PDB file of all heavy atoms in Angstrom:
ATOM      1  N   VAL E 761     127.971 112.223  59.732  1.00  0.00           N
ATOM      2  CA  VAL E 761     127.058 111.553  60.648  1.00  0.00           C
ATOM      3  C   VAL E 761     127.745 111.563  62.003  1.00  0.00           C
ATOM      4  O   VAL E 761     128.804 110.923  62.181  1.00  0.00           O
ATOM      5  CB  VAL E 761     126.760 110.120  60.185  1.00  0.00           C
ATOM      6  CG1 VAL E 761     125.749 109.455  61.112  1.00  0.00           C
ATOM      7  CG2 VAL E 761     126.259 110.106  58.743  1.00  0.00           C
ATOM      8  N   THR E 762     127.211 112.300  62.941  1.00  0.00           N
ATOM      9  CA  THR E 762     127.883 112.466  64.225  1.00  0.00           C
ATOM     10  C   THR E 762     127.484 111.360  65.206  1.00  0.00           C
ATOM     11  O   THR E 762     126.527 110.609  64.955  1.00  0.00           O
ATOM     12  CB  THR E 762     127.562 113.830  64.836  1.00  0.00           C
ATOM     13  OG1 THR E 762     126.227 113.812  65.341  1.00  0.00           O
ATOM     14  CG2 THR E 762     127.731 114.948  63.819  1.00  0.00           C
ATOM     15  N   SER E 763     128.187 111.305  66.316  1.00  0.00           N
ATOM     16  CA  SER E 763     127.891 110.296  67.348  1.00  0.00           C
ATOM     17  C   SER E 763     126.526 110.542  67.975  1.00  0.00           C
ATOM     18  O   SER E 763     125.966 109.663  68.632  1.00  0.00           O
ATOM     19  CB  SER E 763     128.975 110.308  68.418  1.00  0.00           C
ATOM     20  OG  SER E 763     129.099 111.596  68.988  1.00  0.00           O
ATOM     21  N   ALA E 764     125.957 111.739  67.775  1.00  0.00           N
ATOM     22  CA  ALA E 764     124.636 112.051  68.312  1.00  0.00           C
ATOM     23  C   ALA E 764     123.513 111.344  67.541  1.00  0.00           C
ATOM     24  O   ALA E 764     122.389 111.243  68.037  1.00  0.00           O
ATOM     25  CB  ALA E 764     124.399 113.560  68.267  1.00  0.00           C
ATOM     26  N   GLN E 765     123.817 110.843  66.355  1.00  0.00           N
ATOM     27  CA  GLN E 765     122.830 110.105  65.568  1.00  0.00           C
ATOM     28  C   GLN E 765     122.833 108.667  66.058  1.00  0.00           C
ATOM     29  O   GLN E 765     123.752 107.900  65.771  1.00  0.00           O
ATOM     30  CB  GLN E 765     123.161 110.185  64.080  1.00  0.00           C
ATOM     31  CG  GLN E 765     122.299 109.311  63.158  1.00  0.00           C
ATOM     32  CD  GLN E 765     120.822 109.464  63.372  1.00  0.00           C
ATOM     33  OE1 GLN E 765     120.138 108.535  63.795  1.00  0.00           O
ATOM     34  NE2 GLN E 765     120.323 110.645  63.106  1.00  0.00           N
ATOM     35  N   LYS E 766     121.798 108.300  66.801  1.00  0.00           N
ATOM     36  CA  LYS E 766     121.785 107.012  67.502  1.00  0.00           C
ATOM     37  C   LYS E 766     121.402 105.839  66.624  1.00  0.00           C
ATOM     38  O   LYS E 766     121.634 104.688  66.979  1.00  0.00           O
ATOM     39  CB  LYS E 766     120.825 107.092  68.693  1.00  0.00           C
ATOM     40  CG  LYS E 766     121.240 108.131  69.724  1.00  0.00           C
ATOM     41  CD  LYS E 766     122.674 107.923  70.195  1.00  0.00           C
ATOM     42  CE  LYS E 766     123.099 108.969  71.201  1.00  0.00           C
ATOM     43  NZ  LYS E 766     124.543 108.877  71.533  1.00  0.00           N
ATOM     44  N   ASN E 767     120.815 106.090  65.486  1.00  0.00           N
ATOM     45  CA  ASN E 767     120.401 105.016  64.589  1.00  0.00           C
ATOM     46  C   ASN E 767     120.865 105.332  63.167  1.00  0.00           C
ATOM     47  O   ASN E 767     120.050 105.629  62.294  1.00  0.00           O
ATOM     48  CB  ASN E 767     118.878 104.855  64.628  1.00  0.00           C
ATOM     49  CG  ASN E 767     118.409 103.684  63.789  1.00  0.00           C
ATOM     50  OD1 ASN E 767     119.169 102.752  63.526  1.00  0.00           O
ATOM     51  ND2 ASN E 767     117.165 103.745  63.341  1.00  0.00           N
ATOM     52  N   PRO E 768     122.176 105.299  62.922  1.00  0.00           N
ATOM     53  CA  PRO E 768     122.688 105.779  61.643  1.00  0.00           C
ATOM     54  C   PRO E 768     122.623 104.769  60.508  1.00  0.00           C
ATOM     55  O   PRO E 768     122.857 105.139  59.352  1.00  0.00           O
ATOM     56  CB  PRO E 768     124.151 106.112  61.961  1.00  0.00           C
ATOM     57  CG  PRO E 768     124.501 105.129  63.021  1.00  0.00           C
ATOM     58  CD  PRO E 768     123.253 104.939  63.856  1.00  0.00           C
ATOM     59  N   THR E 769     122.321 103.513  60.804  1.00  0.00           N
ATOM     60  CA  THR E 769     122.328 102.495  59.759  1.00  0.00           C
ATOM     61  C   THR E 769     121.251 102.804  58.732  1.00  0.00           C
ATOM     62  O   THR E 769     120.060 102.827  59.044  1.00  0.00           O
ATOM     63  CB  THR E 769     122.084 101.104  60.363  1.00  0.00           C
ATOM     64  OG1 THR E 769     123.153 100.797  61.253  1.00  0.00           O
ATOM     65  CG2 THR E 769     122.013 100.040  59.271  1.00  0.00           C
ATOM     66  N   ALA E 770     121.663 103.068  57.486  1.00  0.00           N
ATOM     67  CA  ALA E 770     120.731 103.437  56.416  1.00  0.00           C
ATOM     68  C   ALA E 770     121.502 103.555  55.112  1.00  0.00           C
ATOM     69  O   ALA E 770     122.735 103.450  55.074  1.00  0.00           O
ATOM     70  CB  ALA E 770     120.041 104.772  56.727  1.00  0.00           C
ATOM     71  N   PHE E 771     120.765 103.793  54.049  1.00  0.00           N
ATOM     72  CA  PHE E 771     121.320 104.065  52.730  1.00  0.00           C
ATOM     73  C   PHE E 771     121.217 105.570  52.513  1.00  0.00           C
ATOM     74  O   PHE E 771     120.134 106.136  52.612  1.00  0.00           O
ATOM     75  CB  PHE E 771     120.507 103.283  51.688  1.00  0.00           C
ATOM     76  CG  PHE E 771     121.093 103.263  50.308  1.00  0.00           C
ATOM     77  CD1 PHE E 771     122.431 102.979  50.099  1.00  0.00           C
ATOM     78  CD2 PHE E 771     120.300 103.491  49.192  1.00  0.00           C
ATOM     79  CE1 PHE E 771     122.976 102.921  48.823  1.00  0.00           C
ATOM     80  CE2 PHE E 771     120.822 103.436  47.910  1.00  0.00           C
ATOM     81  CZ  PHE E 771     122.166 103.152  47.719  1.00  0.00           C
ATOM     82  N   TYR E 772     122.362 106.226  52.286  1.00  0.00           N
ATOM     83  CA  TYR E 772     122.387 107.679  52.167  1.00  0.00           C
ATOM     84  C   TYR E 772     122.555 108.075  50.702  1.00  0.00           C
ATOM     85  O   TYR E 772     123.473 107.616  50.012  1.00  0.00           O
ATOM     86  CB  TYR E 772     123.519 108.265  53.016  1.00  0.00           C
ATOM     87  CG  TYR E 772     123.243 108.133  54.485  1.00  0.00           C
ATOM     88  CD1 TYR E 772     123.602 106.991  55.182  1.00  0.00           C
ATOM     89  CD2 TYR E 772     122.590 109.150  55.185  1.00  0.00           C
ATOM     90  CE1 TYR E 772     123.322 106.852  56.533  1.00  0.00           C
ATOM     91  CE2 TYR E 772     122.313 109.024  56.537  1.00  0.00           C
ATOM     92  CZ  TYR E 772     122.674 107.876  57.196  1.00  0.00           C
ATOM     93  OH  TYR E 772     122.400 107.743  58.531  1.00  0.00           O
ATOM     94  N   LEU E 773     121.688 108.965  50.258  1.00  0.00           N
ATOM     95  CA  LEU E 773     121.673 109.385  48.865  1.00  0.00           C
ATOM     96  C   LEU E 773     121.901 110.884  48.749  1.00  0.00           C
ATOM     97  O   LEU E 773     121.291 111.677  49.461  1.00  0.00           O
ATOM     98  CB  LEU E 773     120.331 109.039  48.221  1.00  0.00           C
ATOM     99  CG  LEU E 773     120.102 107.547  47.975  1.00  0.00           C
ATOM    100  CD1 LEU E 773     118.623 107.250  47.855  1.00  0.00           C
ATOM    101  CD2 LEU E 773     120.841 107.104  46.720  1.00  0.00           C
ATOM    102  N   CYS E 774     122.785 111.256  47.852  1.00  0.00           N
ATOM    103  CA  CYS E 774     123.051 112.652  47.541  1.00  0.00           C
ATOM    104  C   CYS E 774     122.386 112.972  46.203  1.00  0.00           C
ATOM    105  O   CYS E 774     122.334 112.118  45.309  1.00  0.00           O
ATOM    106  CB  CYS E 774     124.559 112.876  47.462  1.00  0.00           C
ATOM    107  SG  CYS E 774     125.055 114.546  47.023  1.00  0.00           S
ATOM    108  N   ALA E 775     121.880 114.175  46.060  1.00  0.00           N
ATOM    109  CA  ALA E 775     121.243 114.581  44.810  1.00  0.00           C
ATOM    110  C   ALA E 775     121.621 116.024  44.503  1.00  0.00           C
ATOM    111  O   ALA E 775     122.045 116.778  45.384  1.00  0.00           O
ATOM    112  CB  ALA E 775     119.727 114.437  44.895  1.00  0.00           C
ATOM    113  N   SER E 776     121.462 116.401  43.236  1.00  0.00           N
ATOM    114  CA  SER E 776     121.692 117.787  42.864  1.00  0.00           C
ATOM    115  C   SER E 776     120.627 118.216  41.874  1.00  0.00           C
ATOM    116  O   SER E 776     119.972 117.378  41.238  1.00  0.00           O
ATOM    117  CB  SER E 776     123.090 117.988  42.269  1.00  0.00           C
ATOM    118  OG  SER E 776     123.197 117.390  40.992  1.00  0.00           O
ATOM    119  N   ARG E 777     120.485 119.528  41.750  1.00  0.00           N
ATOM    120  CA  ARG E 777     119.455 120.070  40.882  1.00  0.00           C
ATOM    121  C   ARG E 777     119.910 121.400  40.308  1.00  0.00           C
ATOM    122  O   ARG E 777     120.472 122.227  41.015  1.00  0.00           O
ATOM    123  CB  ARG E 777     118.177 120.286  41.672  1.00  0.00           C
ATOM    124  CG  ARG E 777     116.946 120.573  40.832  1.00  0.00           C
ATOM    125  CD  ARG E 777     115.798 121.027  41.688  1.00  0.00           C
ATOM    126  NE  ARG E 777     115.654 122.478  41.561  1.00  0.00           N
ATOM    127  CZ  ARG E 777     114.595 123.139  41.983  1.00  0.00           C
ATOM    128  NH1 ARG E 777     113.628 122.511  42.594  1.00  0.00           N
ATOM    129  NH2 ARG E 777     114.517 124.432  41.816  1.00  0.00           N
TER     130      ARG E 777
END
Side-chain angles (χ1 to χ4, degrees):
Chain E
V761 183
T762 74
S763 57
Q765 173 50 245
K766 298 306 179 187
N767 184 23
T769 297
F771 190 47
Y772 290 87
L773 289 158
C774 178
S776 70
R777 192 191 103 167

